[in-house]
Amino acid sequence: HMRQLGIWVEVTTLVVPDQNDSEAELGEIAHFIAGIDQGMPWHISRFHPDYEFGNFRPTPIETLRKAYSIGKEAGLEHVYIGNVPGAESDTVCPRCQQIVIRRRAFAVEENRLEDSRCPTCGSLISGVFA
């Protein structure tokens, strides 16, 4: 409904071991998002045990990498791994695969976009870049 109203939407999934980390469930999420808009970003975030969920283990990095691959295979243009230092957090042009926004943790190190377009191939990059 938000998309129909013209509101920019990004989806975040906190991947919790043995709760929602199966390939089938991650595939369903990725295909659902891709069915709405392949340019809609999907953030897959690592779970860390804390507070009332201290009896769970942290999400294995390999599980997040598998979720990343599942998202890409589903046709999602922008998939990001979160809560993992050094993980896939750069924005890459889906057409020419060049990095258009380089990040380190939560900071933007370089934004190469020109009027929301890739400076290499001119493709329009999905997002709000104000």
Side-chain angles (χ1 to χ4, degrees):
H1 182 70
M2 291 173 56
R3 291 295 302 244
Q4 293 171 343
L5 294 173
I7 298 170
W8 179 250
V9 176
E10 300 193 18
V11 176
T12 301
T13 301
L14 180 63
V15 181
V16 182
D18 303 321
Q19 298 298 304
N20 66 342
D21 63 342
S22 72
E23 289 185 26
E25 187 162 355
L26 293 168
E28 287 176 21
I29 295 167
H31 283 93
F32 175 80
I33 297 166
I36 296 170
D37 181 355
Q38 291 181 324
M40 184 183 298
W42 185 31
H43 302 268
I44 42 179
S45 294
R46 185 177 195 204
F47 169 80
H48 297 278
D50 197 15
Y51 191 52
E52 293 183 15
F53 288 90
N55 58 334
F56 287 85
R57 59 189 167 87
T59 310
I61 304 297
E62 187 53 42
T63 301
L64 298 173
R65 288 190 179 123
K66 183 62 181 174
Y68 179 91
S69 295
I70 289 169
K72 288 299 195 173
E73 289 169 10
L76 293 175
E77 296 173 354
H78 305 289
V79 181
Y80 303 98
I81 293 177
N83 293 340
V84 179
E88 291 84 349
S89 63
D90 295 331
T91 298
V92 176
C93 174
R95 183 169 165 207
C96 71
Q97 301 304 305
Q98 295 296 307
I99 295 174
V100 294
I101 300 176
R102 186 178 311 278
R103 296 180 183 84
R104 178 174 292 170
F106 296 108
V108 173
E109 288 192 329
E110 178 184 24
N111 182 343
R112 299 180 55 232
L113 290 175
E114 299 171 358
D115 196 27
S116 298
R117 295 190 174 277
C118 173
T120 304
C121 70
S123 291
L124 185 63
I125 305 299
S126 300
V128 176
F129 307 104

